[in-house]
């Protein structure tokens, strides 16, 4: 991967490209950026052309970015053209077990390719799980693809003032899977 952040940090104005997270969990998370158990700020960045995959039964998570166990904020970023391989999850951005914030950003043309897998990939744009205090606001999700839930898979958290357009899935909803969430 390009960046692994595990302490309070600011990443401002970078183009993050060609990162590759590979291996068993958690090595399969965050091809471009993996923010783990920290309070980081990622702003004004282009997170493009990264990949996440796994060599075990786990799946690649957050090819563009993954954030777990912390309160990272992503602001005014482009998260685009990232890909996860077999049954990947949250291709653009993966948010799990944290108080993450994704604001004023564009999540575009991220592709979860099942590569002949079981068809269990979820959330081509954003995957948010077990993150009741996470917030996605004023974001645009456009042209993302996954086996299931092309734009987003949401199990806890808040989405507000977002635009969803031209996202697609092979099955089970091209737009958003609202498993358990609050809308505003």
């Amino acid at each position: 991967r390009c960046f692994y952040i595990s302490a309070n940090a600011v990443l401002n104005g970078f183009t993050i490209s060609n990162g590759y997270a590979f291996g068993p969990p958690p090595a399969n998370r965050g091809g471009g950026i993996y923010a783990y158990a920290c309070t980081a700020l990622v702003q004004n960045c282009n997170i493009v052309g990264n990949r996440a995959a796994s060599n075990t039964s786990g799946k690649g998570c957050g090819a563009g970015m993954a954030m777990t166990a912390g309160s990272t904020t992503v602001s005014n970023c482009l998260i685009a053209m990232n890909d996860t391989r077999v049954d990947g999850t949250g291709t653009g951005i993966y948010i799990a077990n944290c108080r993450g914030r994704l604001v004023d950003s564009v999540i575009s043309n991220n592709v979860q390719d099942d590569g002949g897998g079981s068809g269990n990939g979820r959330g081509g744009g954003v995957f948010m799980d077990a993150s009741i205090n996470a917030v996605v606001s004023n974001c645009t999700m456009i042209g993302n693809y996954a086996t299931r839930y092309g734009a987003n898979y949401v199990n806890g958290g808040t989405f507000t003032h977002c635009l969803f357009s031209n996202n697609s899935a092979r099955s089970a909803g091209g737009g958003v899977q609202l498993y358990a969430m609050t809308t505003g």
Side-chain angles (χ1 to χ4, degrees):
R1 73 181 50 91
C2 295
F3 288 93
Y4 178 84
I5 305 170
S6 62
N8 300 344
V10 175
L11 195 59
N12 185 9
F14 284 86
T15 294
I16 299 156
S17 186
N18 294 319
Y20 187 31
F22 179 78
N28 64 337
R29 296 179 185 154
I33 302 169
Y34 185 24
Y36 175 73
C38 61
T39 302
L41 173 61
V42 177
Q43 65 184 8
N44 305 315
C45 291
N46 294 318
I47 304 167
V48 297
N50 299 287
R51 175 174 281 178
S54 180
N55 60 347
T56 66
S57 60
K59 49 194 155 267
C61 301
M65 181 173 181
M67 62 173 94
T68 60
S71 57
T72 295
T73 296
V74 177
S75 176
N76 196 38
C77 289
L78 171 65
I79 302 169
M81 298 179 290
N82 300 290
D83 73 86
T84 49
R85 305 317 288 170
V86 180
D87 296 335
T89 300
T91 303
I93 188 163
Y94 175 86
I95 303 169
N97 300 306
C98 71
R99 297 175 308 279
R101 293 180 42 84
L102 175 62
V103 297
D104 300 321
S105 294
V106 175
I107 299 88
S108 175
N109 298 303
N110 297 288
V111 175
Q112 178 271 314
D113 177 10
D114 70 7
S118 64
N120 288 324
R122 297 175 287 172
V126 177
F127 177 89
M128 186 185 303
D129 189 40
S131 298
I132 295 169
N133 295 313
V135 175
V136 176
S137 67
N138 300 312
C139 291
T140 300
M141 283 72 158
I142 186 166
N144 298 291
Y145 172 82
T147 306
R148 299 182 303 156
Y149 326 124
N152 303 315
Y153 173 85
V154 182
N155 180 11
T158 302
F159 270 72
T160 181
H161 300 94
C162 292
L163 171 68
F164 303 92
S165 178
N166 295 323
N167 298 286
S168 60
R170 185 173 54 143
S171 65
V176 180
Q177 164 68 19
L178 305 176
Y179 186 75
M181 68 170 281
T182 303
T183 60

